[in-house]
Every structure is written in structure tokens, then in C-alpha cells.
């Protein structure tokens, strides 16, 4: 799952130009995913322990919903990272353009 890679890359994200606001959002989403993982383990344990078909059906549905929420949070993390990468690329491009001499930079003042 993508979450493990995101968690391990969170420290490097700061070096890649990820904004503090984005880091906060990513951290919050990772915290939610961690809670969902705990819930998922509990639901899976309950599923293993029950033999009632109706209860198993409900638990399977709940497990599916938790997995879908985790995937949604994962996607949000990727979107935040991609937006920051695009923003960083635009900033670098703008900075590069400011450093490059333009057509008006070759102007030489009139000297009598």
C-alpha cells in the first residue's frame, strides 16, 4: 500500500519543497490511516471469531468500507504531494527565468 512509502518519505518531503501546510495535512491523513488500520485489525479479528453468516456479512462490508477510506486518504496524500511538486516546479521555473537575461537586459545607456 502507498501509505508505507509515504510514511517513510515524509522526512524527505520537507527537503523536496513540500509546504508546512501540506506536511500538516499529510500528517493528519497518516494519523487517520493509522486509526483505520487499528479498526481494520479489530474487524478482521472479529470476522475470524464469528460463525454467524449475517454478522460475517456485516463485518465484511465494514472491512470494505474501512479499506475504501484508507485508499481515499492515500489518494489525498498523493494529490497533496503532486500539487506541491507542481508548485515547486513552477517556482523553480520562475526563478530560473528571473536569472536569465532577457531582451531588455542588453540595454546600454546613452553615453555622449
Amino acid at each position: 500500500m502507498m501509505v508505507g512509502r509515504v510514511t517513510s518519505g515524509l522526512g524527505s518531503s520537507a527537503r523536496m519543497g513540500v509546504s508546512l501546510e501540506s506536511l500538516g495535512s499529510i500528517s493528519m491523513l497518516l494519523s487517520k490511516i493509522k486509526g483505520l488500520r487499528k479498526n481494520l485489525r479489530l474487524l478482521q479479528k472479529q470476522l475470524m471469531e464469528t460463525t454467524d453468516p449475517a454478522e460475517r456479512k456485516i463485518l465484511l462490508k465494514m472491512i470494505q468500507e474501512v479499506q475504501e477510506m484508507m485508499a481515499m486518504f492515500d489518494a489525498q496524500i498523493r494529490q497533496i504531494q503532486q500539487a506541491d511538486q507542481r508548485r515547486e516546479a513552477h517556482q523553480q521555473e520562475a526563478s530560473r527565468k528571473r536569472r536569465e537575461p532577457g531582451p531588455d537586459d542588453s540595454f546600454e545607456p546613452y553615453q555622449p
Side-chain angles (χ1 to χ4, degrees):
M1 183 173 250
M2 177 73 173
V3 177
R5 287 180 292 218
V6 171
T7 305
S8 66
L10 195 56
S12 64
S13 294
R15 292 186 300 273
M16 293 181 350
V18 176
S19 69
L20 289 177
E21 179 182 331
S22 295
L23 285 176
S25 297
I26 290 171
S27 179
M28 179 193 65
L29 289 167
L30 288 172
S31 177
K32 287 182 179 184
I33 290 172
K34 183 178 178 181
L36 288 172
R37 277 192 189 136
K38 184 177 179 181
N39 289 343
L40 182 61
R41 284 191 299 272
L42 293 173
L43 290 170
Q44 289 170 334
K45 183 179 177 187
Q46 286 180 312
L47 181 64
M48 300 287 276
E49 294 172 352
T50 189
T51 56
D52 180 22
E55 189 175 342
R56 288 182 64 81
K57 186 175 180 179
I58 292 169
L59 288 169
L60 285 170
K61 178 69 175 162
M62 292 172 71
I63 288 171
Q64 179 183 0
E65 289 172 357
V66 168
Q67 289 172 332
E68 288 170 358
M69 288 176 63
M70 290 171 65
M72 180 184 68
F73 292 151
D74 237 1
Q76 288 177 358
I77 289 170
R78 281 191 307 277
Q79 288 173 346
I80 291 168
Q81 290 174 326
Q82 289 169 353
D84 272 348
Q85 288 171 352
R86 284 191 301 273
R87 185 173 26 257
E88 178 69 18
H90 289 299
Q91 288 173 347
Q92 287 178 357
E93 178 67 15
S95 177
R96 183 188 61 78
K97 285 183 178 180
R98 282 193 301 271
R99 289 189 306 265
E100 285 182 0
D104 295 335
D105 291 342
S106 62
F107 174 76
E108 293 182 23
Y110 172 73
Q111 297 178 357

